[in-house]
Amino acid sequence: MAISFVFDERVEAFRAQVAQTLADALPPHIRSQVADERIDLTRADQAAWQSKLDSLGWGGVGLPPESGGPGWTDEEYFVFLRELGRADAPRPPLYGLKMVAPTLVRFGTPEQITRYLPDITAGRTFWCQAFSEPNAGSDLAAMTCPAKKTEDGYEITGSKTWISDAHHADLMFGLFRTSSTGRKQEGITALVVDMKSPGITVRPLPNYEGTHECNEIFFDQVRVPAANLIGEEGNGWQVAKFLLSVERFDTAEVPRSLATLGRIRNRIAALEEKSGYTAHVQGLRARFARLEIELRALAATECRYVLGTPQEELTGAEPSLLKWIGTELQQDLLELLMDAYGEQAQAGLPIEDAQPGACRPVEGGFAGRAFHRYRVTTIYAGSTEIQKELIARTALGLRT
Amino acid sequence: MDFTLTEEQTLLRDSARRYFAKSTDLASPRIDSGKVWTDIAEMGWLAVMIPMDLSGFGGSIVDGCLLMRELGRAHVGIPFAQAAILGARTFLKDPHMLEQIAEGKAKLAYVLQDDAADPLRFEKSTHGYTLRGAKPFISCCSDTSTIIVKAFDGTGTIPAVFRLPKELPLLNLNSYSTLDGVGAASVVFDALEISGDACLAVGEAAQDVVEELELAACLAFSAEAVGLMEFLVNATREYTETRMQFGQKISGFQVVRHKVVEMYALSQLAGSLVFQAADTFDRLGRTAETRQAVRAAFSYVGRQGRRVGKDAIQLHGAIGTMNELPIGHAFARLVAISQSCGGASMHEINYAEQCMTVGDTSRVWAL
């Protein structure tokens, strides 16, 4: 017990082994996409990487060992995520592995766990989550999409929106309204929906900068068997709260931001190499320094909260603070990366997407697109404004 | 990786917190610093970094920073860092002086910054040394006993560190007040003759001790700033819960709540960064990474401390600018800290100058 921002030798040895293994295992074409700050990897690439991790025994990171987890300590899991970021490896599948899997472990029946978990850890199935609706965003409990009780399960007719990755998901983890009496947090039920069910229509919602991540889903008399109920009917709000808070180690985006910081450093060094210590380079360096200092403060706070503080001394506001500060800083870093490339960042395309022989200044073209793509991070999974409200309530005891 | 305190540290922190809660009025703008000084000498805090074999507490820079943070939380302006943190290092080989420090009889002031255009000069004389030059601003209280200065030889390449008793004859010293209430003095060294034993270090040894003192001073004041920020967050939070406007507590307004949350977040981030830097200095000593960590911490608390202070006043409204409240005084101290040790913005510039050379050290600071 003493303030100490360092891991012991055993963890550092583990880190070295993880870093080496990742460097050997990561296919270059996947690495280069992540290094281009892309988060729209194809399903085939995501599946290939997850199954590779699974073959290394790392398919179930974050899960308890009896559910397919690697049996790591918190520090080892933390270090693994750091090194994934440094290696430019894709993050573990967010919806399936990091949200749905632990939720099934907590609320699912043994039958549901054996049915779904092995396919998640092996990268055979991909999940999406359907929570938001046109009139239920930050105010999630205002959701209305109904699941009507039938003889053998439920029938859904309605719609959900802002569903990331629905276009290549096999299964959906959704929240539906099974009762409209009582508080609005009551009467919500968590169901697993097969995306191949008759009556489901997925409509893409492309982003303004040209990528596609989100979708709208329409349900027309979609039938869901009773076996797909997660937890109890009507306690979906508790299930969802658990699902959204289960990830402790990756809310601040520090691993990806460390990698982005490295890209900015390399770019500034290249500019300096080419044209000397110009006023432009000096200005970029000053911005770089300030953001690296901000990232130091964030990373130290993340280490302190998730590894360095006993559970009973936490207020509960920590994930909110990390998510808010972490996503704002990530946006600032990508803005600097874009500026470090200048006008050519507007080309918008990574090198491999350019036509062969086409004369386009596309180096750094990813930077502009990433800047725009990550604009959403302070909105999804609880907007900055919602996080501040949560902090006001839990850490400071302030409320309306 | 651990952010918890040792049993001894918890005791130290808790006793400090209890002491200030009991014997000072945290709502009062100015605390009787003379009484606090006597009390903390009695409680042994001034010996926190004096080695155990010299009857000290044997603490590290982290322990020193923990107490600095408590002094900040109590917004009490006493030259604790200079005596207990810098003094314990400066006089490591001077048991008599360490005793004086522990007993509260030594109040020290440090002048480690150079005026590059016109630095303080020393030259050897028959009986010791002659000092020439001027220091227009030396942060020190009215009863400072000893001033420690850095000077260069005639070539401007060899540094030396001297101790000057304040009652030295011909020491042309003028005391004046400062905005943070700590006080300062100007000194003109008009061929001041000092004895040979006033020289504490010369050449490389002086360079080393000055750098160590500069790093320790930055950390100590950063920790004080963290405490001041925490004080302002708590005081502002409470104020928004009691102040009524438009028929409700002003904390009922989201714009006010979110401002308090931002102040809180900055104080948390600053606390992590400062203690991470203190731990780095403690473990790695004077390395390139330690220097960057300390520059990061000091520039961050300088910049964000000001922001927290400004917002504390903003949320209090006009009353926040009044002499009768501690809010403005705490802000003034935060600003003074941000201008000490060469200034927070200079530390950020130096950080930027070094960041490419030092390269990616994130495995040290982000693990």
Side-chain angles (χ1 to χ4, degrees):
Chain A
M1 296 286 118
I3 291 178
S4 165
F5 281 81
V6 67
F7 290 130
D8 62 27
E9 282 169 24
R10 199 185 44 78
V11 178
E12 286 301 333
F14 170 81
R15 183 211 293 282
Q17 183 227 328
V18 166
Q20 187 57 53
T21 308
L22 290 174
D24 295 341
L26 185 62
H29 79 282
I30 294 181
R31 200 205 74 84
S32 76
Q33 292 180 69
V34 178
D36 281 352
E37 308 283 2
R38 292 180 71 157
I39 47 176
D40 56 344
L41 266 58
T42 63
R43 167 161 175 150
D45 284 343
Q46 289 186 49
W49 178 237
Q50 181 59 28
S51 106
K52 182 84 203 173
L53 287 178
D54 197 43
S55 69
L56 294 166
W58 298 344
V61 294
L63 295 176
E66 60 276 15
S67 308
W72 290 333
T73 62
D74 281 357
E75 290 192 340
E76 287 168 334
Y77 181 32
F78 181 92
V79 160
F80 176 77
L81 294 174
R82 283 283 194 266
E83 295 309 316
L84 270 186
R86 289 192 172 100
D88 287 324
R91 297 202 300 184
L94 181 62
Y95 305 112
L97 187 60
K98 293 173 79 177
M99 292 180 152
V100 173
T103 305
L104 289 174
V105 169
R106 168 75 178 74
F107 291 99
T109 62
E111 196 276 327
Q112 287 170 332
I113 293 173
T114 25
R115 184 172 5 142
Y116 296 124
L117 246 56
D119 286 340
I120 293 177
T121 54
R124 284 190 294 267
T125 56
F126 282 83
W127 289 66
C128 62
Q129 70 180 38
F131 290 2
S132 299
E133 295 175 14
N135 292 315
S138 288
D139 182 9
L140 184 58
M143 47 158 287
T144 59
C145 184
K148 209 171 62 192
K149 190 112 188 189
T150 62
E151 258 172 38
D152 54 354
Y154 300 88
E155 186 185 289
I156 306 167
T157 298
S159 70
K160 288 276 176 186
T161 194
W162 310 129
I163 303 163
S164 301
D165 294 351
H167 52 297
H168 48 59
D170 308 290
L171 293 161
M172 166 198 290
F173 188 94
L175 294 180
F176 302 94
R177 190 158 287 287
T178 44
S179 160
S180 303
T181 55
R183 291 166 65 237
K184 62 180 179 179
Q185 287 82 1
E186 293 164 15
I188 293 172
T189 297
L191 297 174
V192 175
V193 182
D194 188 330
M195 291 298 284
K196 287 184 274 307
S197 311
I200 287 188
T201 310
V202 177
R203 190 175 81 90
L205 298 171
N207 303 310
Y208 68 81
E209 85 290 355
T211 54
H212 169 211
E213 192 183 351
C214 277
N215 305 273
E216 205 171 358
I217 297 188
F218 300 96
F219 303 83
D220 181 18
Q221 297 184 323
V222 174
R223 300 183 66 90
V224 180
N228 289 17
L229 170 67
I230 305 297
E232 286 159 36
E233 184 177 302
N235 84 334
W237 187 252
Q238 283 68 39
V239 177
K241 266 172 54 175
F242 177 86
L243 182 141
L244 290 171
S245 64
V246 66
E247 177 50 57
R248 286 194 295 143
F249 293 101
D250 217 5
T251 50
E253 294 279 11
V254 173
R256 285 207 280 209
S257 287
L258 287 170
T260 305
L261 194 75
R263 283 186 254 291
I264 303 171
R265 181 187 283 107
N266 291 344
R267 173 63 183 168
I268 297 176
L271 284 174
E272 200 170 336
E273 175 91 36
K274 195 173 125 212
S275 26
Y277 193 43
T278 59
H280 177 53
V281 168
Q282 200 178 343
L284 291 172
R285 257 212 218 177
R287 286 173 65 188
F288 175 87
R290 182 167 285 195
L291 292 182
E292 186 171 272
I293 291 169
E294 301 272 344
L295 187 53
R296 278 175 182 260
L298 173 69
T301 304
E302 189 194 32
C303 293
R304 164 188 173 179
Y305 285 168
V306 306
L307 295 175
T309 310
Q311 196 63 33
E312 65 273 14
E313 284 173 29
L314 296 171
T315 64
E318 293 80 9
S320 295
L321 193 150
L322 294 175
K323 196 269 174 179
W324 151 40
I325 302 290
T327 49
E328 282 193 356
L329 181 54
Q330 183 175 44
Q331 292 176 350
D332 290 345
L333 285 165
L334 288 166
E335 188 166 7
L336 178 56
L337 181 67
M338 176 175 77
D339 288 343
Y341 276 103
E343 200 171 24
Q344 72 202 49
Q346 299 306 315
L349 287 173
I351 287 165
E352 66 265 29
D353 284 2
Q355 291 298 314
C359 190
R360 292 175 59 135
V362 287
E363 193 209 349
F366 60 87
R369 191 171 66 171
F371 165 75
H372 287 296
R373 180 76 288 266
Y374 277 73
R375 185 61 198 81
V376 75
T377 57
T378 48
I379 299 164
Y380 66 36
S383 67
T384 296
E385 290 71 21
I386 291 292
Q387 304 298 349
K388 287 182 183 174
E389 277 302 284
L390 289 171
I391 297 166
R393 216 177 294 162
T394 46
L396 298 168
L398 301 177
R399 52 171 71 233
T400 316
Chain B
M1 168 60 222
D2 195 354
F3 199 77
T4 60
L5 303 183
T6 63
E7 218 169 294
E8 292 85 0
Q9 288 171 334
T10 309
L11 278 172
L12 194 63
R13 184 200 61 188
D14 291 351
S15 73
R17 229 166 254 192
R18 257 198 318 277
Y19 166 73
F20 285 119
K22 204 173 72 187
S23 35
T24 61
D25 176 8
L26 288 179
S28 103
R30 292 264 194 245
I31 284 153
D32 180 356
S33 55
K35 182 176 177 317
V36 171
W37 188 263
T38 321
D39 289 346
I40 67 163
E42 263 174 38
M43 291 185 287
W45 298 3
L46 286 164
V48 64
M49 286 182 67
I50 294 175
M52 272 199 252
D53 53 4
L54 296 166
S55 333
F57 180 80
S60 67
I61 184 72
V62 176
D63 300 299
C65 285
L66 281 172
L67 281 175
M68 283 304 289
R69 177 176 160 210
E70 294 310 312
L71 293 173
R73 285 173 69 98
H75 53 89
V76 52
I78 50 171
F80 177 84
Q82 290 86 339
I85 297 176
L86 307 185
R89 170 67 190 84
T90 315
F91 298 103
L92 199 55
K93 293 185 181 114
D94 184 343
H96 173 69
M97 192 63 178
L98 291 182
E99 204 175 297
Q100 298 272 303
I101 288 172
E103 288 171 8
K105 289 179 188 148
K107 283 198 177 170
L108 312 179
Y110 281 80
V111 198
L112 303 175
Q113 299 300 317
D114 304 312
D115 177 354
D118 189 16
L120 195 60
R121 300 283 191 192
F122 76 89
E123 62 186 68
K124 274 276 217 201
S125 68
T126 37
H127 303 293
Y129 299 92
T130 310
L131 291 182
R132 284 193 179 83
K135 287 288 176 187
F137 187 94
I138 300 173
S139 172
C140 66
C141 48
S142 54
D143 55 352
T144 293
S145 58
T146 306
I147 302 174
I148 289 105
V149 298
K150 175 182 157 193
F152 280 97
D153 73 337
T155 67
T157 54
I158 298 174
V161 179
F162 300 94
R163 60 185 286 190
L164 311 171
K166 205 170 110 184
E167 59 277 12
L168 202 65
L170 304 174
L171 185 68
N172 189 354
L173 181 141
N174 273 304
S175 294
Y176 52 92
S177 63
T178 55
L179 296 172
D180 63 346
V182 169
S186 69
V187 178
V188 178
F189 300 90
D190 187 11
L192 181 72
E193 289 294 331
I194 50 173
S195 63
D197 61 5
C199 180
L200 296 171
V202 66
E204 214 171 294
Q207 195 57 52
D208 290 352
V209 74
V210 164
E211 193 187 17
E212 208 166 301
L213 290 172
E214 281 179 324
L215 292 167
C218 284
L219 288 169
F221 294 133
S222 297
E224 182 187 356
V226 170
L228 286 159
M229 287 162 86
E230 290 172 347
F231 163 69
L232 287 169
V233 171
N234 293 338
T236 306
R237 192 207 84 87
E238 271 168 46
Y239 185 77
T240 63
E241 281 280 87
T242 47
R243 172 71 174 162
M244 304 289 287
Q245 285 289 276
F246 302 102
Q248 60 169 311
K249 300 186 289 190
I250 60 170
S251 66
F253 298 105
Q254 194 176 63
V255 69
V256 170
R257 271 200 306 279
H258 286 195
K259 195 59 103 182
V260 182
V261 165
E262 284 159 22
M263 293 167 63
Y264 168 75
L266 291 175
S267 71
Q268 289 279 302
L269 290 157
S272 318
L273 185 60
V274 168
F275 282 94
Q276 193 269 340
D279 174 60
T280 303
F281 183 38
D282 191 34
R283 277 188 300 108
L284 305 183
R286 289 180 292 119
T287 62
E289 169 50 25
T290 303
R291 289 178 200 113
Q292 287 296 77
V294 172
R295 286 176 189 128
F298 190 72
S299 65
Y300 188 84
V301 298
R303 184 158 53 87
Q304 307 294 31
R306 286 187 187 195
R307 190 171 149 196
V308 167
K310 283 181 191 170
D311 286 344
I313 291 179
Q314 184 67 27
L315 291 181
H316 275 79
I319 189 87
T321 64
M322 292 294 106
N323 184 49
E324 65 184 273
L325 251 66
I327 304 303
H329 297 290
F331 176 45
R333 179 66 193 139
L334 277 168
V335 173
I337 289 173
S338 76
Q339 295 192 316
S340 68
C341 302
S345 64
M346 188 205 74
H347 284 265
E348 190 178 294
I349 291 166
N350 290 345
Y351 185 98
E353 285 295 318
Q354 295 302 316
C355 63
M356 294 293 151
T357 324
V358 173
D360 180 5
T361 51
S362 69
R363 283 203 176 91
V364 177
W365 53 261
L367 300 178

